[in-house]
Amino acid sequence: DTGVSQDPRHKITKRGQNVTFRCDPISEHNRLYWYRQTLGQGPEFLTYFQNEAQLEKSRLLSDRFSAERPKGSFSTLEIQRTEQGDSAMYLCASSLRTGRAAGELFFGEGSRLTVL
Amino acid sequence: DQQVKQNSPSLSVQEGRISILNCDYTNSMFDYFLWYKKYPAEGPTFLISISSIKDKNEDGRFTVFLNKSAKHLSLHIVPSQPGDSAVYFCAASVGDKIIFGKGTRLHILP
């Protein structure tokens, strides 16, 4: 399967714990996006990378959130000191685009976080 | 601040009929519009898109119409099939960022 893969698919944690999600994009894609989706809402933009450079971060991404994409390949999203409000589906997407437009995103199946 | 709005949370359509999903936007700087489809337990998948310089794009049973003066776009599915039952997200991009609406759940009735 050469699509976008995310791991783990589901994470249950206690409030205050740290969690890390991993995303492996489609190999030739240079852009990688993180979105968060809660019940009844559409995906909300968190951050994106072009190769290894993090180009934009949403104000939704508090100091407890950090994302990396070392070497421009896979990416990790870490949430420190989790809170119950962090419970959501975390979606990763990648795209191959040159120029200005974002283009079509290819999404993974998501990592669902439940904070107890 | 919801820049992309889908005001109908759900829509039911008889199989074989036309499904019309609507979307409004507020940011006149959006230059590209997309529709995504999502099944339960899966990530959204790209369906069809349209550049802001066009007013219509067609791909098989799917057609997207853009009315820039009204800041409105719609997705037409004809004829509707049972496999079209899903959540449909309208999205718009400005530069590298894509912003999504809340989605409309489409039910295709037998």
Side-chain angles (χ1 to χ4, degrees):
Chain A
D1 188 343
T2 56
V4 178
S5 63
Q6 293 188 244
D7 183 69
R9 293 291 308 280
H10 196 179
K11 178 73 176 177
I12 301 172
T13 191
K14 292 183 179 179
R15 189 177 53 189
Q17 298 295 305
N18 299 344
V19 296
T20 299
F21 300 113
R22 177 182 169 122
C23 172
D24 287 273
I26 295 171
S27 59
E28 64 269 25
H29 283 187
N30 58 347
R31 293 186 181 180
L32 187 149
Y33 294 75
W34 285 99
Y35 282 82
R36 180 176 70 186
Q37 186 178 14
T38 53
L39 196 63
Q41 302 294 316
E44 296 174 293
F45 171 81
L46 293 179
T47 188
Y48 93 98
F49 295 82
Q50 176 146 323
N51 300 312
E52 67 275 11
Q54 188 173 17
L55 295 187
E56 187 170 345
K57 290 170 63 172
S58 164
R59 57 184 167 81
L60 293 175
L61 217 63
S62 75
D63 292 346
R64 297 184 297 105
F65 288 71
S66 63
E68 294 181 345
R69 192 182 183 198
K71 302 178 183 177
S73 55
F74 70 92
S75 176
T76 58
L77 177 69
E78 181 183 16
I79 309 173
Q80 296 182 325
R81 305 181 304 281
T82 53
E83 301 172 355
Q84 288 183 324
D86 297 331
S87 295
M89 176 73 83
Y90 290 85
L91 293 164
C92 176
S94 67
S95 76
L96 176 64
R97 198 70 183 179
T98 57
R100 222 177 105 254
E104 173 190 343
L105 299 183
F106 293 80
F107 281 89
E109 293 180 317
S111 292
R112 180 169 295 284
L113 174 63
T114 302
V115 182
L116 302 176
Chain B
D1 178 22
Q2 194 75 20
Q3 296 187 63
V4 178
K5 301 177 185 180
Q6 294 178 260
N7 292 320
S8 299
S10 67
L11 175 68
S12 294
V13 174
Q14 208 77 31
E15 182 179 354
R17 298 287 184 103
I18 183 170
S19 295
I20 300 176
L21 296 101
N22 292 303
C23 177
D24 297 296
Y25 62 95
T26 57
N27 188 344
S28 57
M29 299 299 292
F30 286 141
D31 54 9
Y32 205 68
F33 301 90
L34 309 96
W35 285 93
Y36 283 79
K37 176 179 178 179
K38 185 182 183 303
Y39 292 120
E42 295 183 10
T45 55
F46 170 76
L47 196 55
I48 191 169
S49 63
I50 187 167
S51 165
S52 61
I53 62 174
K54 296 188 175 181
D55 55 17
K56 177 182 174 182
N57 187 28
E58 189 173 352
D59 183 3
R61 296 186 299 115
F62 303 92
T63 303
V64 56
F65 295 92
L66 175 62
N67 182 335
K68 284 187 68 178
S69 61
K71 294 192 176 70
H72 177 85
L73 66 154
S74 60
L75 173 68
H76 293 212
I77 307 173
V78 56
S80 299
Q81 298 176 353
D84 296 331
S85 292
V87 177
Y88 289 78
F89 292 104
C90 172
S93 73
V94 51
D96 299 330
K97 192 162 126 179
I98 297 184
I99 297 170
F100 286 79
K102 291 185 178 184
T104 296
R105 183 176 299 279
L106 177 64
H107 300 270
I108 303 302
L109 306 172

